[in-house]
Amino acid sequence: YWKKVLSYLDLVEDAAAVETGQQQVEAVTYNTAMIACGKDHSLTLKIMKRMIKNGVRPNHRTFGAAIRSCARAGQWRRAIALFNQLEKFDIVPNSHIWMGVVSACKEAAKW
């Protein structure tokens, strides 16, 4: 399934490059791809890195998807590390982000 997600993302990036002369895709496209990866946190984080590398600014939904993916995979340390990056992007945590971090810690019995 993840191969289809990445293929779709490649197609969208290629289409954007042809249409605009640059590889600019909106955050919603990356966020949707991240959500589709579910609890494959490593793939979710790769998509987030790809997004940032391509100059697309992450938002609440980006961090929410990444933190939830880490929580589902039992990666509470990574969830907290992502939470600690919010300030770098001038993002104030909302309830979804807080719940993701709490869930990650709860699942790992680190609460």
Side-chain angles (χ1 to χ4, degrees):
Y1 182 76
W2 62 267
K3 287 181 182 182
K4 287 184 181 182
V5 170
L6 291 180
S7 293
Y8 170 75
L9 193 54
D10 288 338
L11 287 172
V12 171
E13 286 176 341
D14 290 345
V18 168
E19 188 175 311
T20 65
Q22 53 184 317
Q23 196 175 19
Q24 187 68 26
V25 177
E26 292 184 15
V28 67
T29 304
Y30 289 102
N31 294 346
T32 302
M34 290 171 64
I35 291 166
C37 291
K39 73 180 194 180
D40 186 342
H41 73 284
S42 61
L43 185 55
T44 300
L45 296 176
K46 284 179 186 177
I47 293 171
M48 185 176 180
K49 286 180 185 177
R50 181 173 171 172
M51 173 185 187
I52 294 167
K53 179 183 167 212
N54 288 335
V56 180
R57 184 173 164 75
N59 57 29
H60 285 90
R61 291 184 188 264
T62 308
F63 278 94
I67 289 170
R68 280 191 308 276
S69 181
C70 289
R72 289 184 192 121
Q75 297 293 317
W76 64 275
R77 285 187 178 99
R78 288 190 186 209
I80 291 172
L82 286 165
F83 182 83
N84 289 333
Q85 290 181 27
L86 292 172
E87 189 175 329
K88 175 181 173 182
F89 293 98
D90 296 320
I91 296 173
V92 176
N94 61 17
S95 61
H96 296 287
I97 291 172
W98 279 110
M99 289 306 296
V101 172
V102 168
S103 176
C105 292
K106 178 184 146 257
E107 292 300 317
K110 298 295 180 186
W111 187 248

